Amino acid sequence: MNTNHTSLGAKADKETVRRHNLSLVLRAVSDEGEATRAGVAGRVGLTRAAVSSLVEQLLESGFLSESGKTFSGQAGRPGTVLKVTRSGPAGIGVEINIDYVSVCVVDLAGTDRVRLTEHLDNRRVSPAEVLARGARIAARTLESAAEQELHPVGVQLALPGLVSGGSVRQAPNLGWNRVPAEELFARALAALRPDAPALPVSSENEANLAALAELWFGGLGAVRTFLYLTGEIGVGGALVLDGELLRGAHGFAGEIGHVVADASGPRCRCGARGCLEQYAGQAALLRAAGIDEDSGARGLAELARKVAEDDPAAVAAVERAGTMLGRVLSGAVNLLDPDAVVLGGIYRELMDRLSPAADRELTARVVSGLWPRGSGRLRASSSAGDAARGAAALVVRSVLADPVAYAGQGAGHGVGHGAGSG
């Protein structure tokens, strides 16, 4: 008999059970978009009386709203329609990328309600100043949110490179090493809002957050296991396994842009040779097409125009990028066996010319035989998701998971005092 037992923790008391059930009901309404008490009871497996008590508490505290009547076609009285509130607690996501900063606020329904994006070259600028730029844009976004009676309860940073413990360990394209990003951002935002309560700040890799946005808001349907690539100046990646991010032992999983596509290739900013982003990153694509690699969004628009006009250099650059993408992706598919590979960022606009070359490599190299040409498993990302929205939605999901923890933060009277056991 094994006597090396680990602690199971304390048993759930009455208040803990109710707290869990409040989240259960709130998430059920959020998932459905709108629901009745009876519909929620059927979905979560609680009695109608228990659900009614929980709903009343969530209504009182401002997490839910109700309106109108809905007829189910069955016997009995029509029920009122429940929805998560359009005001109150929200999340704010701040994406810091190489050549832009994007900030958005998402409400409890997951709707992108405020969005500010500024195209800025963040290279050759100190990390403190880049994060201060993000804080200035976030402060303006918070003002717009307040006008809509939205009150973000936390900030999630979406950052390029290796992110762990609140710091960017390495971001080669920004030249960042061991940058305490959360601390610098929080300090800058607090200085801009001296009379406002400090917002908690957390951070995550931007590709991971873009993948979560695709999972929650994209058009994946039943697909829950997929590899996501975001093409920007660098190439980021993320793996979602059965609806959960695979972060790896140290949080650094997904750095597919630094998988070697050709060991004799050009030197990468990370120090290695022939990394994927040296062929499929934004700078590499523009350079190969004869366009100024520092021209940003203007250069990408020129690239798309040249490809549409069958410019030989532009078409060759995109097709070569597709080949290298397919070569690296085939190894990842053989290793990880995802249901789909989703290409986001700059790749969305180039899919017509990019995907055939990538598809050829996948078909030739994936050993399972499950990736025949034209299978549809290589697809463009949805326009509904991006890293900033994924970041903001991650904050919102923490509210949905435990509304009691956010009582009084822009949601009416608070939910910590309701009666009954739920």
Side-chain angles (χ1 to χ4, degrees):
M1 178 177 177
N2 183 5
T3 59
N4 295 322
H5 296 301
T6 55
S7 173
L8 297 177
K11 70 175 183 179
D13 59 19
K14 189 176 182 180
E15 186 60 32
T16 302
V17 171
R18 185 170 182 86
R19 190 166 179 161
H20 170 79
N21 287 342
L22 283 163
S23 169
L24 203 61
V25 170
L26 183 58
R27 285 183 287 123
V29 177
S30 175
D31 289 347
E32 293 294 329
E34 59 180 48
T36 63
R37 288 168 172 79
V40 170
R43 176 167 180 179
V44 303
L46 297 171
T47 66
R48 290 195 186 190
V51 167
S52 184
S53 171
L54 295 161
V55 164
E56 290 302 322
Q57 195 172 335
L58 291 165
L59 287 167
E60 177 190 353
S61 54
F63 289 97
L64 292 180
S65 63
E66 66 178 339
S67 61
K69 301 285 185 181
T70 183
F71 293 87
S72 66
Q74 300 175 347
R77 292 184 302 171
T80 55
V81 176
L82 300 167
K83 297 181 181 180
V84 292
T85 182
R86 283 183 54 80
S87 60
I92 180 167
V94 179
E95 180 184 2
I96 307 285
N97 220 305
I98 315 305
D99 55 354
Y100 66 89
V101 176
S102 189
V103 182
C104 78
V105 174
V106 165
D107 63 20
L108 288 184
T111 305
D112 191 338
R113 297 281 295 278
V114 185
R115 169 80 65 158
L116 287 177
T117 299
E118 290 192 11
H119 292 279
L120 304 157
D121 190 344
N122 292 318
R123 292 166 290 189
R124 297 174 291 279
V125 179
S126 73
E129 175 54 28
V130 172
L131 290 158
R133 287 174 171 178
R136 289 193 289 270
I137 300 169
R140 297 205 307 272
T141 309
L142 286 165
E143 291 175 2
S144 298
E147 292 171 1
Q148 299 186 48
E149 299 183 337
L150 288 166
H151 307 285
V153 299
V155 180
Q156 178 78 42
L157 301 179
L159 303 167
L162 304 178
V163 181
S164 177
S167 295
V168 178
R169 298 294 185 93
Q170 186 183 24
N173 289 306
L174 281 174
W176 289 13
N177 286 284
R178 300 191 179 281
V179 173
E182 290 179 13
E183 178 186 337
L184 291 171
F185 180 90
R187 189 186 306 157
L189 186 61
L192 293 166
R193 307 169 71 241
D195 299 324
L199 288 174
V201 178
S202 52
S203 58
E204 177 63 90
N205 173 266
E206 53 89 18
N208 283 350
L209 292 166
L212 289 177
E214 187 68 23
L215 175 70
W216 296 332
F217 308 116
L220 289 173
V223 171
R224 305 279 292 169
T225 296
F226 62 96
L227 184 62
Y228 183 93
L229 265 69
T230 176
E232 305 291 349
I233 287 178
V235 179
L239 177 68
V240 175
L241 182 64
D242 196 24
E244 300 288 339
L245 274 176
L246 180 67
R247 289 184 167 87
H250 307 97
F252 301 151
E255 287 294 323
I256 198 167
H258 295 287
V259 172
V260 174
D262 181 353
S264 61
R267 180 79 67 182
C268 180
R269 290 177 186 269
C270 74
R273 284 192 175 276
C275 293
L276 175 61
E277 71 175 42
Q278 293 304 305
Y279 304 95
Q282 174 181 313
L285 275 165
L286 294 180
R287 186 169 57 247
I291 302 168
D292 178 8
E293 65 184 77
D294 293 324
S295 56
R298 180 169 44 82
L300 289 172
E302 185 180 352
L303 175 63
R305 177 181 60 77
K306 284 190 169 188
V307 170
E309 294 172 354
D310 287 326
D311 175 83
V315 169
V318 173
E319 290 183 347
R320 186 187 189 202
T323 297
M324 292 304 198
L325 273 170
R327 183 176 298 175
V328 170
L329 283 171
S330 63
V333 169
N334 283 333
L335 183 65
L336 301 167
D337 188 30
D339 280 325
V341 172
V342 181
L343 301 183
I346 64 173
Y347 300 141
R348 289 186 66 250
E349 306 302 322
L350 300 171
M351 281 296 284
D352 285 351
R353 289 298 180 96
L354 189 79
S355 62
D359 218 18
R360 279 195 299 272
E361 292 292 316
L362 283 161
T363 300
R365 297 175 183 272
V366 172
V367 297
S368 66
L370 298 177
W371 287 73
R373 288 281 297 276
S375 67
R377 298 176 75 176
L378 178 68
R379 60 182 75 181
S381 67
S382 166
S383 60
D386 61 88
R389 188 178 183 188
L394 195 59
V395 176
V396 164
R397 288 176 79 86
S398 70
V399 178
L400 298 177
D402 189 8
V404 171
Y406 297 89
Q409 299 187 45
H413 301 90
V415 295
H417 62 278
S421 63

